[in-house]
Amino acid sequence: MRRRTVGVALLAAALTATVAAPAPAAPAGQKPTRAAELLGRQALPANDGWAAEGAGTTGGGAATADRVRVVRTRAELVAALGGDNATNATDATPKIVYVAGTVDGFEGPDGAPLDCADLADPEYSLPAYLAAYDPAVWGRVDPSGPLEAARVRSVANQNRQTQINVGSNTTIVGLRGARLTGLTLMIDRVANVIVRNLGFADARDCFPAWSPTDGDAGNWNSQYDQISVRRSEHVWVDHNTFTDGDNPDSAQPRYFGRPWQVHDGSLDVTHTASLVTASWNRFTGRDKLMLIGSSNTVGPDVGRLKVTVHHNLFDGDLQRLPRVRFGQVDVHENHYRLGGTGFEYALGVGVQSALFAENNFFTLADDVAPADLIHDWGGAALTERGSWVRQGDRPARPVDLLAAYNAAHDPDLGGDAGWTPTLRAAPPLPTPLVPLVVGAWSGAGRLPL
Ligand code: CA
Ligand code: CA
């Protein structure tokens, strides 16, 4: 009974929100349900993580009738966000966008699907690129010259097509079963954005870059996240599901002996962005999840990159759960199910990072040692407490992850991140309840619609 009571109280807290005036009707024949109207008007609850700081996060809650739309195509999505993808980031008029069905970033202007060849510059071809920059021929230096320039022009083509720019004061809500596939929501130089109840699938890069000095053998890198938050603040990403869809990394070829990586982050927060809450999301089968801070340069990121990550399910993901530089980042009551091929680490402790990890639950395959859940990327300390681990068939138990890390690795990390979060909507649940609650209520399709 105790579990249920706590869980229900928590659900109530998760769903409690400021509700503004009733939503006006969307265009005839595309009317959201009353429940969807209420969801579109909801603000982030008080104290619910860093995005609740100061004036909080209200998204498009104040939208007038003409800026409440239901969209079913890429063209309708761009129209609802302001009309021109090239300038939509500057459209700060409050707006609520409901996504119905699947919106595909690779839909052309006439609705026909585009493929990578449609976006490629005439001077670019992958076979020519592979022939020119094979390290055996070109050496281990960055590609340059006409073919690389053609690749860069191709990337610019893809940016215009699959990078969907979002302005300030925007709420995007998925209706039942809604998905955004093959696109990036780019939240750059804006404020006050809410993204809820959406499936994100396969934000793929047609033109990955070859980075010959990334790692021991070089790497292919994609530049497309599912959501990128840059130079922005007050962003709430809630109850979404992130996958690679039907295009998993495991199905990609290898070139130059390295995996052809067409995917990047699920939710990257970089370039001085701050005041972000990521709650109740489900991230399934992905590699690079959440990069908070993309540069070690001690500069404008200092004092920024404040992110709260709570009640998310990290299911079969490989790394960056999250990886943090500089920011005060509160990671509490998440469920991690990790292990198997390719797993690297969960919590990345980067330069001047201040990670506060509390009451997280780790369900681990036998091939993951608790000592390897933390990775030191040049950081000094983190606060870690209340972690539990269930491994293989053995019973769950509390584990001091930092002590395990320090016993297995040098140099040691300190145990005090130097701050204590105050922006919490509710006291933390006992850790053993976290898998139950997160399993039931994280991801798209759980909010009332
Ligand atoms: Ca990224
Ligand atoms: Ca040690």
Side-chain angles (χ1 to χ4, degrees):
M1 289 313 288
R2 168 81 182 143
R3 283 177 183 223
R4 184 162 177 79
T5 306
V6 171
V8 168
L10 195 88
L11 180 64
L15 300 181
T16 300
T18 308
V19 177
Q30 301 188 328
K31 190 170 163 43
T33 63
R34 176 67 184 157
E37 288 184 352
L38 291 173
L39 212 56
R41 296 284 171 186
Q42 277 183 347
L44 175 68
N47 298 315
D48 192 353
W50 273 118
E53 167 94 322
T57 300
T58 57
T64 54
D66 60 315
R67 295 307 303 266
V68 179
R69 309 270 181 88
V70 178
V71 304
R72 290 175 168 77
T73 65
R74 177 191 174 282
E76 290 176 357
L77 174 60
V78 167
L81 290 168
D84 179 355
N85 196 41
T87 56
N88 279 351
T90 63
D91 185 326
T93 307
K95 60 196 93 61
I96 302 172
V97 181
Y98 295 99
V99 177
T102 296
V103 170
D104 186 343
F106 283 81
E107 276 174 16
D110 59 356
L114 302 176
D115 61 22
C116 289
D118 294 316
L119 299 174
D121 184 90
E123 305 297 313
Y124 174 87
S125 86
L126 181 59
Y129 193 88
L130 294 175
Y133 301 119
D134 187 327
V137 177
W138 181 259
R140 274 172 61 88
V141 293
D142 288 339
S144 62
L147 269 168
E148 171 62 9
R151 189 194 67 83
V152 170
R153 290 193 300 274
S154 305
V155 170
N157 293 340
Q158 182 173 352
N159 283 348
R160 285 188 287 273
Q161 175 66 35
T162 70
Q163 191 167 286
I164 302 298
N165 297 308
V166 178
S168 295
N169 308 316
T170 300
T171 293
I172 305 176
V173 172
L175 299 178
R176 195 177 306 278
R179 279 196 338 154
L180 299 180
T181 184
L183 62 76
T184 298
L185 286 186
M186 178 54 71
I187 300 169
D188 190 2
R189 296 186 172 88
V190 302
N192 197 26
V193 175
I194 296 175
V195 179
R196 303 180 79 187
N197 202 47
L198 279 160
F200 286 83
D202 190 21
R204 64 190 176 280
D205 190 337
C206 287
F207 313 103
W210 171 242
S211 308
T213 55
D214 177 0
D216 295 336
N219 272 312
W220 295 97
N221 286 304
S222 160
Q223 73 166 38
Y224 294 104
D225 303 322
Q226 297 180 297
I227 300 177
S228 291
V229 184
R230 302 176 178 174
R231 295 166 280 246
S232 297
E233 52 187 27
H234 291 290
V235 176
W236 182 30
V237 177
D238 177 69
H239 279 99
N240 303 287
T241 295
F242 298 82
T243 73
D244 289 329
D246 59 4
N247 190 33
D249 289 347
S250 59
Q252 305 303 323
R254 296 171 78 89
Y255 299 122
F256 306 161
R258 300 297 297 156
W260 177 243
Q261 180 52 272
V262 299
H263 300 122
D264 199 34
S266 280
L267 173 56
D268 283 4
V269 180
T270 62
H271 300 80
T272 74
S274 202
L275 309 180
V276 175
T277 297
S279 54
W280 301 101
N281 300 290
R282 187 173 285 242
F283 301 92
T284 301
R286 299 222 56 257
D287 183 354
K288 300 171 182 174
L289 237 290
M290 193 181 302
L291 180 66
I292 301 175
S294 58
S295 162
N296 283 343
T297 302
V298 179
D301 281 329
V302 174
R304 306 286 296 172
L305 301 173
K306 295 178 177 177
V307 181
T308 299
V309 180
H310 75 78
H311 296 100
N312 300 282
L313 175 61
F314 299 103
D315 192 3
D317 306 313
L318 304 187
Q319 58 181 317
R320 305 184 177 175
L321 314 171
R323 172 178 173 175
V324 182
R325 294 175 169 104
F326 301 106
Q328 294 180 335
V329 174
D330 187 14
V331 177
H332 65 93
E333 297 163 272
N334 301 283
H335 183 199
Y336 294 79
R337 285 204 292 238
L338 304 174
T341 305
F343 173 72
E344 298 202 17
Y345 65 90
L347 302 170
V349 183
V351 173
Q352 294 188 21
S353 65
L355 248 168
F356 192 103
E358 183 172 28
N359 287 22
N360 295 292
F361 193 102
F362 296 84
T363 300
L364 302 179
D366 279 322
D367 60 355
V368 179
D372 295 331
L373 292 172
I374 295 169
H375 188 89
D376 180 3
W377 286 107
L382 80 161
T383 302
E384 179 270 324
R385 62 195 193 197
S387 302
W388 280 57
V389 171
R390 180 171 54 217
Q391 191 150 30
D393 297 330
R394 297 181 290 284
R397 63 196 166 95
V399 172
D400 184 332
L401 296 186
L402 181 58
Y405 173 86
N406 283 338
H409 301 276
D410 291 313
D412 286 7
L413 291 166
D416 181 1
W419 72 294
T420 302
T422 56
L423 290 165
R424 295 269 186 95
L429 284 175
T431 312
L433 300 187
V434 166
L436 181 84
V437 171
V438 167
W441 291 315
S442 72
R446 272 85 177 169
L447 289 168
L449 272 175

